[in-house]
Amino acid sequence: MTKTIVESKTKTAIIGFDQPFCVIGERINPTGRKKLALELEAGDFSTVEADAIAQVAAGATVLDINSGAVFSNKMAEDARYADNNFVEPPLMRELILRVQAIVDAPLCIDSSVPGALESGLEAAEGRPLLNSVTGEEERLEVVLPLVKKYNVPVVAISNDDTGISEDPDVRFAVAKKIVERAADFGIPAHDIVVDPLVMPIGAMATAGHQVFTLVRRLREELGVNTTCGASNISFGLPNRHGINNAFLPMAMGAGMTSAIMNPVALPVPAAKIEAKKLELAAAGVVFPDDMELEVFCQLTGLGSTQPRPGKEMEAIRAANFLTNNDPHGGAWIEFNKEAPKPGQEGRGRAGRTGGRRRRA
């Protein structure tokens, strides 16, 4: 069985056909997160650290670290900041050092800038996953030597200099080319994790079917592990979690072994809580003033005031159990244990000290 080994200094993650699905947490990425980009520009890594801790707590196996920040303020003062080749290498190093200082999860070094990839490889402890290489000749010639030099696995994205093809046969051919070129560098197929590229189902009705077919071919014909940007499938549609929850177990059933995704259900914003209170008050429903916000959110179906595992994590853990990658359901049972209420830690069922009482 193909196994891709990703390691931190103290922990090993195995991506494989007979392994639990590998969740690669995507939150540490300033792309599209203006607030995070501004924090990083100011040298503030508090959100990065909080995201690292929350994702591991929610069940992420590996953490993706993306350094693609745009420092607009510094750019106005110094033209060098308009160049990602200047910005990303030192930022990637700092991100890696910060994250691995507070969590022990293996890392995925994510950048389109070769200098940032090498900077991350130099800073990372263990054996990180490199993200990524494509089928473009220039990219192959730059990234594959890094993969060989540092003896790390790499994500291979199924597009080349012609762009992203809507034809799954073309995407398979690009993946095959990357695997073959990697072999020329002495890189084994088990160190290639192919991203077959998930298209939005709202834009292409056959997107789901294409991915499932591609994943089966990649497993059976090339013997490689696979990954994807899981939320791409539901882009632009309502109730995205519902689509993601169906897609992930189906992709797993087809042979997909990992996904880059958000494992965390984010806390309910304060503004949403206040809006709900006003809505209920207008309908004549009044809650006690001293009710805890967490209780209010749960009673009204808003969610939680704390980060917690997302619904996608529930679907993945159920699928692990159903595919016998969670023998005897131990992880499923642990995942579904009710957290103790404040003041009841260390107590048994229903908060009774000592647990179940014996009959005399």
Side-chain angles (χ1 to χ4, degrees), residues 6 13 15 22-31 33 36 40 47-56 59-69 88 91-92 95-100 103-112 117 120 124 128-133 139 153-157 193 195 227-230 258-264:
V6 189
I15 305 174
C22 179
V23 174
I24 303 172
E26 70 179 8
R27 291 281 298 162
I28 303 174
N29 184 345
T31 305
R33 297 181 69 187
L36 177 58
L40 295 177
T47 295
V48 167
E49 293 168 348
D51 282 344
I53 292 168
Q55 288 183 106
V56 171
T61 319
V62 174
L63 294 183
D64 187 85
I65 312 292
N66 185 295
S67 57
E88 290 201 39
L91 178 60
M92 178 64 81
L95 288 168
I96 295 285
L97 293 176
R98 295 274 183 159
V99 170
Q100 68 187 8
V103 296
D104 60 357
L107 303 180
C108 176
I109 301 169
D110 185 356
S111 177
S112 60
L117 294 177
L129 176 63
L130 204 64
N131 188 8
S132 59
V133 68
R139 189 75 177 173
V154 65
V155 174
I157 301 179
V193 181
D195 182 345
T227 195
C228 70
S258 69
I260 301 171
M261 55 178 281
N262 179 16
V264 182

Side-chain angles (χ1 to χ4, degrees), residues 332-345:
W332 175 253
I333 292 168
E334 184 66 28
F335 177 73
N336 285 282
K337 279 185 179 177
E338 185 176 348
K341 293 177 178 151
Q344 294 184 346
E345 295 86 351

Side-chain angles (χ1 to χ4, degrees), residues 49 56 75 88 90 108 113 140 179 309 326:
E49 293 168 348
V56 171
M75 195 187 304
E88 290 201 39
C108 176
V113 175
L140 290 166
V179 171
D326 175 15

Side-chain angles (χ1 to χ4, degrees), residues 272-295:
K272 191 171 183 180
I273 296 173
E274 288 306 311
K276 190 68 172 179
K277 285 182 176 181
L278 291 173
E279 176 192 331
L280 292 171
V285 181
V286 180
F287 289 87
D289 291 336
D290 60 350
M291 175 177 282
E292 294 180 1
L293 288 181
E294 179 67 17
V295 174

Side-chain angles (χ1 to χ4, degrees), residues 210-242:
Q210 280 191 9
V211 170
F212 306 145
T213 302
L214 262 172
V215 167
R216 289 189 188 97
R217 287 192 68 190
L218 290 164
R219 173 175 176 163
E220 293 168 5
E221 297 181 37
L222 299 184
V224 293
N225 282 306
T226 45
T227 195
C228 70
S231 64
N232 288 353
I233 192 70
S234 61
F235 182 77
L237 293 173
N239 189 11
R240 296 184 67 184
H241 294 295

